[in-house]
Amino acid sequence: MTPYAQRSTEELKALKDQLEKKYNEIKAQGLSFNMSRGKPSPAQLDISEGLLSAVSTTEDCFAADGTDCRNYGEPVGIYEARKLMGDMMGIPAENVIVYGNASLQIMFDTVARSFTHGVCGSTPWCKLDKVKFLCPVPGYDRHFAVTEFFGVEMINVPMTPEGPDMDMVEKLVSEDEAVKGIWCVPKYSNPQGITYSDETVRRFANLKPAAEDFRIFWDNAYVVHHLYDDESKQDQLLNIFEECEKAGNPDMVYEFASTSKISFAGAGIAAVGASKKNIDFIKKYLGFQTIGHDKLNQLRHVKFFKDFNGIKEQMKKHAALLRPNFETVENALERDLGGLEIGSWDMPRGGYFIHFESLNGCANEIVKMAKEAGLVMTEAGATYPYHKDPNDSSIRIAPSMSTPQELEKASEIFTLCVRIASINKLLAERA
Amino acid sequence: MTPYAQRSTEELKALKDQLEKKYNEIKAQGLSFNMSRGKPSPAQLDISEGLLSAVSTTEDCFAADGTDCRNYGEPVGIYEARKLMGDMMGIPAENVIVYGNASLQIMFDTVARSFTHGVCGSTPWCKLDKVKFLCPVPGYDRHFAVTEFFGVEMINVPMTPEGPDMDMVEKLVSEDEAVKGIWCVPKYSNPQGITYSDETVRRFANLKPAAEDFRIFWDNAYVVHHLYDDESKQDQLLNIFEECEKAGNPDMVYEFASTSKISFAGAGIAAVGASKKNIDFIKKYLGFQTIGHDKLNQLRHVKFFKDFNGIKEQMKKHAALLRPNFETVENALERDLGGLEIGSWDMPRGGYFIHFESLNGCANEIVKMAKEAGLVMTEAGATYPYHKDPNDSSIRIAPSMSTPQELEKASEIFTLCVRIASINKLLAERA
């Protein structure tokens, strides 16, 4: 295919007429598709049906140490749940606290706690004139929303195929005491599906922060969320917890994970892992905050998965359902846009998203056009702090919630919008 | 029985020798009892076994409006759970948000939110020089612990048989803009089992706070926790939500409740009820804080209880188990201490505690002696802010976790310690 930029204005205008005709035909059909939702499909949730009955009698309600999970207590969670989550994160059970169902809530809580009570003895952030966070972009909108909500100044750090631009991270972290944190999705990142390279992880572990209360918010949301069973097709992430220890920076990282996309998105369990010093500080706070999280649900997960191997087996079932969806979208992108040089996309080996990078200035237009034709996409700009994508080029595609048939049609609408918006841009530049 | 104070010094000394002999005999037996834990007994938890299997297949996982409770969404909770909790609290479902398993966590969260984000637009409390809370005493230690943790200055307000001293409450609330809240357990209060009178509730509803962001923290923890099925033996509490509306103060109260002592203490559901303005403000915060609480557990509760009547029936079963425990302790107190005028206690008609008021200066000594003889009581002073009981006279007795046989023996130890400590005090005064 000849790249659009190399085609004549007449050719582009004719093509535009043709594509717009098709677009209007589709629009008239009143279709309804959604590629905005990064959530598991009903079929994926069905995989965990056994979880519902994993604790179904009084006899089932006791932890290995005899703890009655129906009653109060154990604010850090039952040991076997801490071990299950710890094994998944590569962190000893003693360094893990299991919460309720949402890791986002633990992260929010961590920021809130730092604002009111500081970090392991530091000045509470609410008493500081300025708190800054580094935000690798594109990234996860809900991370950025949390820090925005607390009035944190967010600084964009560009993502590279190896992870965040570490030259920039090192400079900002070491020079500015107001930089207190960085949001990371280190494996199959949201939205690009990038896994941080070993060198990136080591450079993170060896940061020399100006602020003693600087922390890496390591949201390992997709820690076992491979799309392919073959290990050679799975990304490997270095263990930040161990690397930080080796580097003499054991306290610098909080790792978060949950079973939201392993068991039930709305009724899983979530955990934080960190150094003893951090865990002790969190425990103190927890002692005031709650009498304990839902231990029955922790026990359900332990009984259902048995151990980390059980989780890995479960993930193969998810992969079998997700793979065709990803491939459908990727094939459509290649078929309709390959060689046109009006956008690029990645082929992630895990996670929940495909990231599409349009020509600069086109993302909003594409998402708007898609919506008018019945296809809901994640709002353009959502992957940037303050919803401001400086290039207006980042579009997040979430293929999990639809069937391949739906995705086939939805992708057709999407690529049509990309082509029209791109031609409009090229024509405008030539005018 | 002749009151101790009217007995001769010789008589008291002889009695002391006799009681101490008995105390030492008991101590030598190496017994182990616990009357410190305000939690349901295993037998009480067994009542809810059906809850475990109330949602056990994929088909069970859907809310009435079709919401898939396994997936993300509905941060305010599913409608039927909001209605169930609302019916129990006497608040419309629309004004209720259902959270996870612990109402303490909602209260903590409410304080934390006020510190970082203010109250419906007010200055965040962390930006104020001083924040004060009124604390009816004796009261619930975990309430006081939360405000202490946030550096709030706590002011004791004495409890009366009608509730907190409202003259004092009205004066402090209307005169001091730094007073931002008051902790209340309005029904079967912890630890005294007092239910606020209608006049007290109306005076609360008609408060004229100096601070626009003053809120009543109405922890209706024992809203349906009667000890007697006969309605004439049940305390009735006026509906603060309605009274505040009538008084033109709809935004002044947050009401909290949970099923912790209805279903499972560690795996129930908890809720907050408030005016539309408050709920809208909380919703905004929630939108950043979480993707939603555990809706499957909400649905489990709805399916298990069906409706508010189901909760009431459940509470009769709890009462049948708790009543003998309360009566055992009360009978022992009357038998061993009646007429001696060395302490007073209440006969609550609900809740989880019996409150014992010793002679001034004796509570610590009694709890210490009991511990040495193998009976663990709640730490003396725990019912006061900063753990400082100015009279050293308040002792909380928690009879739920033991059998009547255990309580019989435990009460014997307790009353023995009360008698010895009281004689010691009387003798010291005469010396």
Side-chain angles (χ1 to χ4, degrees), chain A residues 68-72 294 296, chain B residues 39-52 54 84-85 88 100-102 221 224-225 258-270 297-298 300-302 304-305 310-311 314-315 318 321 352:
Chain A
D68 187 339
C69 293
R70 301 170 302 174
N71 222 326
Y72 290 126
D294 185 336
L296 280 182
Chain B
K39 48 199 262 193
S41 67
Q44 285 179 267
L45 298 168
D46 289 351
I47 300 172
S48 299
E49 187 173 24
L51 184 63
L52 296 168
L84 180 69
M85 295 302 281
M88 183 171 83
N101 67 311
V224 289
H225 300 60
S258 81
T259 67
S260 291
K261 290 177 181 105
I262 300 173
S263 60
F264 294 138
I269 56 175
N297 206 36
Q298 294 177 12
R300 256 181 221 112
H301 280 76
V302 170
F304 181 62
F305 289 120
I311 289 181
Q314 171 91 346
M315 294 318 291
H318 282 290
L321 290 165
Y352 264 67

Side-chain angles (χ1 to χ4, degrees), chain A residues 114-299:
Chain A
S114 306
F115 266 83
T116 58
H117 290 82
V119 178
C120 297
S122 77
T123 305
W125 295 355
C126 69
K127 302 291 184 198
L128 303 175
D129 289 334
K130 179 69 85 180
V131 173
K132 300 179 188 172
F133 256 60
L134 307 187
C135 299
V137 288
Y140 179 32
D141 55 346
R142 281 184 167 272
H143 284 165
F144 305 154
V146 169
T147 28
E148 182 177 3
F149 190 53
F150 280 87
V152 170
E153 182 183 322
M154 294 182 282
I155 300 168
N156 292 357
V157 175
M159 281 290 284
T160 77
E162 308 273 303
D165 176 340
M166 290 309 293
D167 290 343
M168 190 172 168
V169 170
E170 284 166 352
K171 187 172 156 55
L172 289 166
V173 167
S174 65
E175 289 180 359
D176 189 350
E177 211 189 346
V179 172
K180 301 297 188 190
I182 180 168
W183 288 117
C184 296
V185 182
K187 197 166 182 178
Y188 302 130
S189 70
N190 177 351
Q192 292 167 297
I194 290 171
T195 297
Y196 295 6
S197 71
D198 291 357
E199 196 201 337
T200 296
V201 176
R202 287 202 188 96
R203 288 176 74 177
F204 263 110
N206 282 281
L207 284 173
K208 301 278 169 271
E212 55 161 6
D213 51 352
F214 168 83
R215 292 292 182 273
I216 302 164
F217 285 62
W218 198 255
D219 182 5
N220 214 341
Y222 307 106
V223 51
V224 289
H225 300 60
H226 311 287
L227 283 173
Y228 299 93
D229 298 350
D230 181 350
E231 285 193 18
S232 72
K233 286 188 171 179
Q234 296 179 352
D235 288 359
Q236 300 301 327
L237 175 71
L238 216 53
N239 186 324
I240 185 87
F241 185 78
E242 291 173 4
E243 293 301 319
C244 279
E245 276 191 342
K246 278 187 218 164
N249 278 329
D251 305 323
M252 201 169 57
V253 65
Y254 304 123
E255 180 164 344
F256 306 96
S258 81
T259 67
S260 291
K261 291 179 181 103
I262 299 173
S263 59
F264 294 138
I269 56 175
V272 61
S275 71
K276 183 175 186 309
K277 184 175 166 186
N278 284 323
I279 291 292
D280 285 347
F281 186 74
I282 299 172
K283 268 188 201 171
K284 194 190 154 203
Y285 186 86
L286 258 183
F288 293 95
Q289 186 178 28
T290 184
I291 302 187
H293 296 98
D294 185 336
K295 294 185 296 298
L296 280 182
N297 206 35
Q298 295 176 12
L299 195 56

Side-chain angles (χ1 to χ4, degrees), chain A residues 46 49 58 70-71 117 149 266, chain B residues 40 46 49 58 70 117 149 266:
Chain A
D46 289 350
E49 186 172 25
T58 294
R70 301 170 302 174
N71 222 326
H117 290 82
F149 190 53
Chain B
D46 289 351
E49 187 173 24
T58 294
R70 302 171 301 174
H117 289 82
F149 190 54

Side-chain angles (χ1 to χ4, degrees), chain A residues 324-344:
Chain A
N325 289 14
F326 276 76
E327 289 171 353
T328 299
V329 175
E330 286 162 3
N331 291 340
L333 292 172
E334 184 56 38
R335 180 195 64 214
D336 297 346
L337 305 178
L340 301 182
E341 296 181 9
I342 55 172
S344 58

